Every structure is written in structure tokens, then in C-alpha cells.
Amino acid sequence: MERTLVREIIKNEGEKIILKGWVAARRDHGKLVFIDLRDRSGIAQVVFSPGFPEAHKTAQDLRSEWVIQVSGKVKERPASMINEKIPTGRFEIEAEELVVLNTSETPPFPLDESGDNIDEEVRLKYRYLDLRRERLQKNIKLRSEFVDRMRQFLFKNDFTEIETPLLTKTTPEGSRDFIVPSRMYPGKFFALPQSPQQYKQLLMVAGFERYFQIARCLRDEDLRADRGFEHTQVDIEMSFVEQKDVLAIDEKMITTVCEEMGKKIKQKPFPVFTYKEAMEKYRADKFDMRTEEEKKDGVLAFAWVVDFPFFEKDKEGNWTFTHNPFSMPKPEHIDWLLKGENIGEIITQQYDLVCNGYEVGGGSIRSHRADILKAVFKVMGYSDMRIEAEFGHMMQAFNFGAPPHGGLAHGVERMTMILTGETYLREVQAFPQTSSGRTSVMDAPSELDEKQLKELGLEVKKK
Ligand code: ASP
């Protein structure tokens, strides 16, 4: 006989079935033993009675999180036991046979609640148990559904999904790189990508015209509730487009996907604020436009923010880009950039998508001319030699017929956070880092042995 999933029992009244799953709870009433059996599809009540003495006896030994196989008949519960709160709550299984597939140690924390109050280090050390809780199962599945729907929309609109390298050269996104030493070139290093920015632009030069990728991005930055070392982006780039074209197709995608997932959007088309207007109205470039009522109802309030200044002064008083060095200034400001004039007033064709207080997307129309890109790094005080060494490959590519292009990226975690109402990134990532910057379950970062260090030509200085 084949296994039946818990969610199917409602269609099997009177039938004999087999369930497999975990013991979520056990209530021993002496004569009757009740088990809540959990599988990926839900929870079912199983009743062991002395009428089936062997199963009844084994059921008394069961403990939380043991893995079992039960066969028995699906019956309607007595009226007093009906639980309207769960889809299977009108039924139970009258167990005839019980097989223990595996036992379990007592879990270090309860799994039948939200988990909010449990110490983070402990939750992440036993993340594979933590993930068994209903809330996290829901979040991770919803994330998967979100990515799937985004993919479907993009495929329908003639985009090609293309992977780009993880071992690469630094791409500035305003953060620190994670570095990988090279064994074949001791003393040289790869950088893990902060985003696929340069490769996706090279794919435009390569003529793909519509690219997307579910891309992992790695940034060595201070961790926050909505920020980890690793995140995933739905990364998009298009050729022969202007800002309005990118915003239009993206808005259609976000609206379609969020509405398919049952969400209500506060305002359509999304309102557009200039950076200046946003700062005047909300004193921030990301903001929450929802009323208290809308917050309760899970409404999504999207808005575009456009017309950002291209440059700002860093801590040392030098000019640096606000978002992305590859962005194109507004057409009327290109001359200023090329001449290095009015730097603080240059506006870039950069756009951010804001929702419920988070920045959930951002991108720009790019400069597709080598002289414009070079001028950006000049403003930042880079020498010709440094520009050539770090970005010569981009300028060279642009000299081979680079089409006008632009794109954007959406943070999958932030989108999942607003779709689920979660306020911590770790609640929507299967294996997030701890807030002290270590991995879940596995103990990393960890030391290398002497042989590995030697092979890489590395020496670790004692602190
Ligand atoms: N590369 C940008 C980022 O990671 C997104 C983009 O401009 O397309 O934020």
C-alpha cells in the first residue's frame, strides 16, 4: 500500500491508509493514546486503542519527534473532539499497526510554537529542528512560491535565465568583498560577487537583451535584522530600454506575483517620489505608507523613488557613488560628469522600489559608453591606472557595440519578509548566519590546517 499524505485523509473516510511522519505530540489517556502525526502537508490525529494491542503497546513508548509509520482507518471524530482550526480536524486515524522508523533525542526547544522567544544561537545550532516548526515551513515554502512565480513571469516575457560566476573580481556595491585565495596563483584572490552587476551588463553586450538570474549575493557587512552576509536577488537586465520601460515591466511583474499570492496592493500604479520629495515627506528614502488598519490587513504599499544624487561625500570627504557606479546620469547631466562639474548636483537614472518600510528593489539605466564610466571613477579620485586595472574590461566591452541597457534587482528575502509579515531576515532563510556572523549548524568560519595554508601560500598572523 502506498503512503497517504496527511492533507489527503479528508478524502479517505472509511479507507485504510498508511501515514508516515513525526510525532508532534502524544497524549496518553491510559486506555487511549493520541498522537499528532506531522508530515509536510499537515497534522493528523491518530488514536491507539487496546483493540490493536501491539500498536497500542508501542504507542506508549513514543516520544516527541520520533519518526513513525501508522496504518489504520480514517474515521470521523466524535463531535466533542472536532477541531475546526485545522483542515484535518474532523477526522482521525484508528491505528492498527505502528512501525517506529527512527527514534529522537528530546528536542532542545519546543517546536509547536512560533519560536520567537528562543535564543537565536540555539535555534540556529539546531536549525534542522527549528525549521520543522509550522511558521518556518510556511515561510520557506512561500519563498519558493514567490521565486517560482517571478520566474514564470520572466519566462513568459522572453527573458533568459543565465548563471554568472561566483569566483570573480570585485564588483563595487558599496560593501566589503568576501575574498577567496587562489591555490594556482598564490598571493592572488578571487572576490565573491556582491551582485552579478558587471556580468549582467556584459550579457547585454553579448546580445541576450533580456536576462534574469536568481542570484546569490555576498557582502561582508554589519549584520542587521534585514541584512545578512548572503542574500538572494531576482536580478534583471534589459537592452534598448529607458527608465520608464524598466519600471513598467517590473511593476507589472511585482503586481502580478503579489496579487497571485493573495496580497492587496495599496496603490496602482505605484506612486513615484523623487529622492528629494521622499526626504522632505518621510525624511528617508524608504518609508511605510500604510495606515494602522492596512498594516493589520497585510496590505502592500509600494512606491518608486527616483532621481537620486549620483554622488555623495564619504567619511573622508571624497566623492563616492550613492548606489551604483555603472549608472547613467540624467541626459542633461552627462556633460557635468564628463567635465567633472557640479558633482553634488548630478542626478542619476537610479530607481528604488520601496514597500512597507523596506527597500525591496533597486536598479538603474547604465552608462553604456566607456568615457562616461571612466568619468565616474575619475570623480571618485581613481588614477587612470587603477581604472584600467579594475574596470578596463568593462570599458573595452563597451567599445564593441554595447547597446543602451538597464535593469534592477529585487531582494528575495526582503520580498518574502513583506509577504509574510516577518521582521527578521533569518525567518525567511533556511540556514541564515547568526547575528555574530557564524553559520547555522556548521561551525564556520573555522581554521585551516597547515597543509591547506601552505598550498594557498598563506600565513596567519597571531593576534
Ligand atoms: N546590482 C544592483 C544591486 O545589487 C542592482 C541593479 O542595479 O541592478 O543592488
Side-chain angles (χ1 to χ4, degrees), residues 5-11 19 36-37 39 41-46 74-77 81-93:
L5 283 176
V6 162
R7 67 168 172 246
E8 304 291 325
I9 64 173
I10 55 173
K11 293 187 222 147
L19 295 179
D36 285 342
L37 181 147
D39 70 10
S41 70
I43 287 198
Q45 173 164 290
V46 183
V74 181
K75 299 214 155 156
E76 179 133 1
R77 291 190 198 183
M81 305 250 320
I82 286 175
N83 176 358
E84 296 290 359
K85 284 197 208 113
I86 58 171
T88 59
R90 303 187 69 80
F91 299 95
E92 62 188 12
I93 317 303

Side-chain angles (χ1 to χ4, degrees), residues 12-26:
N12 283 282
E13 195 183 341
E15 302 290 321
K16 192 169 167 184
I17 58 156
I18 294 183
L19 295 179
K20 297 186 189 189
W22 288 263
V23 175
R26 187 185 63 122

Side-chain angles (χ1 to χ4, degrees), residues 146-349:
F146 169 74
V147 171
D148 179 37
R149 290 185 187 277
M150 294 283 271
R151 254 203 184 97
Q152 287 182 34
F153 180 95
L154 289 161
F155 281 137
K156 267 191 219 129
N157 285 277
D158 205 23
F159 284 79
T160 305
E161 183 170 13
I162 308 177
E163 285 168 275
T164 54
L166 281 179
L167 291 175
T168 171
K169 192 165 164 157
T170 179
T171 273
E173 291 283 358
S175 184
R176 219 175 274 113
D177 290 321
F178 277 102
I179 297 297
V180 182
S182 154
R183 176 181 60 82
M184 292 174 77
Y185 301 94
K188 298 208 168 175
F189 300 85
F190 297 102
L192 299 177
Q194 290 185 37
S195 83
Q197 185 64 40
Q198 297 191 53
Y199 282 112
K200 72 172 168 176
Q201 292 192 241
L202 293 173
L203 288 168
M204 295 304 105
V205 183
F208 285 97
E209 293 193 28
R210 288 190 163 202
Y211 142 97
F212 87 96
Q213 176 175 201
I214 311 300
R216 306 297 295 276
C217 301
L218 297 116
R219 301 179 186 183
D220 188 357
E221 53 192 355
D222 296 333
L223 302 169
R224 293 206 305 243
D226 64 342
R227 205 176 249 188
F229 289 153
E230 295 185 36
H231 71 276
T232 304
Q233 290 183 345
V234 180
D235 192 45
I236 296 170
E237 198 74 8
M238 287 174 266
S239 293
F240 305 109
V241 286
E242 294 172 17
Q243 178 162 314
K244 64 174 178 12
D245 306 315
V246 180
L247 299 199
I249 193 162
D250 190 70
E251 185 161 330
K252 189 157 168 236
M253 174 176 70
I254 292 291
T255 306
T256 306
V257 170
C258 291
E259 288 182 343
E260 278 173 359
M261 294 180 77
K263 287 288 171 182
K264 192 169 175 288
I265 293 173
K266 182 181 167 103
Q267 197 180 332
K268 290 189 295 185
F270 302 164
V272 182
F273 297 88
T274 64
Y275 172 73
K276 198 160 158 269
E277 288 165 349
M279 292 308 280
E280 276 163 16
K281 189 151 183 211
Y282 299 103
R283 298 229 166 72
D285 56 1
K286 41 181 182 278
F287 41 83
D288 197 340
M289 302 178 299
R290 293 170 303 168
T291 60
E292 289 307 317
E293 183 75 22
E294 288 166 338
K295 282 185 189 168
K296 266 189 241 120
D297 296 344
V299 170
L300 305 181
F302 288 102
W304 291 107
V305 183
V306 300
D307 288 356
F308 288 88
F310 202 135
F311 298 98
E312 63 188 359
K313 289 265 169 88
D314 66 13
K315 281 192 214 100
E316 284 91 49
N318 301 316
W319 288 115
T320 183
F321 55 88
T322 61
H323 281 79
N324 195 320
F326 301 103
S327 302
M328 179 78 113
K330 288 206 129 184
E332 59 272 30
H333 295 171
I334 291 178
D335 243 21
W336 286 349
L337 176 63
L338 291 174
K339 291 189 188 135
E341 287 169 4
N342 306 328
I343 301 301
E345 282 148 62
I346 300 176
I347 301 293
T348 165
Q349 296 186 61

